[in-house]
Amino acid sequence: MVTIRTEIVIHAPVALCFDMARDMDLHPRTVWPRTKERLVKGKVRGKVECGDQVTFEAKHFGIRQRLTSCVVEYERPRYFVDEMVYGAFQFMRHKHVFLEREELTIMRDELKFAAPFGAMGRWADRYILKSYMTKFLTYRNEQLKRMIEEEWRKKRER
């Protein structure tokens, strides 16, 4: 199993960060354009909450894939956790944590996953998927940070 941890500082209140991170209307705009990711089933609009399922369709490594995840833990505005219900991985769990620090929010992600196919999957985890998923998650978080900070700037100007 692979664990990836990322952290990014966002200049906006924790509640805004939490809500925008779980907003399915924003999600496709925060991932790599080349994956052509779209939401196809479940909670495809609005903000996910505990028990909500979402099915994503995207192209990774030249192959169109579907992944369904379910929000299994949720405590606004501190954290939420989604787990894969169906998809290419043997296991996937993504914990999103939001820490308030004065006028900043620290957004942390912990993504755990394992590829199927035994030893071959473990090799792919270590030498291909860990790097790929780290870059994917980092890109998404940078896009989300940009959107959140822009939204916060607009709110302050009103």
Side-chain angles (χ1 to χ4, degrees), residues 42-93:
K43 182 80 171 197
V44 297
R45 308 243 347 139
K47 295 170 181 66
V48 293
E49 297 185 17
C50 198
D52 286 342
Q53 286 194 3
V54 181
T55 300
F56 303 90
E57 185 177 271
K59 189 177 274 192
H60 296 281
F61 303 106
I63 302 167
R64 177 130 325 264
Q65 300 178 38
R66 282 197 174 194
L67 182 138
T68 301
S69 67
C70 181
V71 178
V72 296
E73 295 179 34
Y74 177 96
E75 185 179 318
R76 185 180 188 276
R78 293 185 40 214
Y79 69 93
F80 65 98
V81 177
D82 56 273
E83 290 184 352
M84 185 189 77
V85 175
Y86 170 83
F89 291 93
Q90 180 180 0
F91 169 84
M92 180 183 279
R93 178 180 171 89

Side-chain angles (χ1 to χ4, degrees), residues 122-154:
R122 287 189 297 279
W123 182 89
D125 281 345
R126 187 175 298 121
Y127 297 108
I128 299 170
L129 294 174
K130 184 175 184 177
S131 173
Y132 183 85
M133 295 301 290
T134 299
K135 290 174 186 170
F136 183 83
L137 189 57
T138 299
Y139 179 87
R140 181 188 189 294
N141 289 345
E142 289 168 352
Q143 298 308 305
L144 191 56
K145 171 188 168 80
R146 183 184 52 76
M147 290 176 173
I148 292 168
E149 289 177 348
E150 177 66 18
E151 180 64 23
W152 180 234
R153 186 189 60 74
K154 288 178 185 176

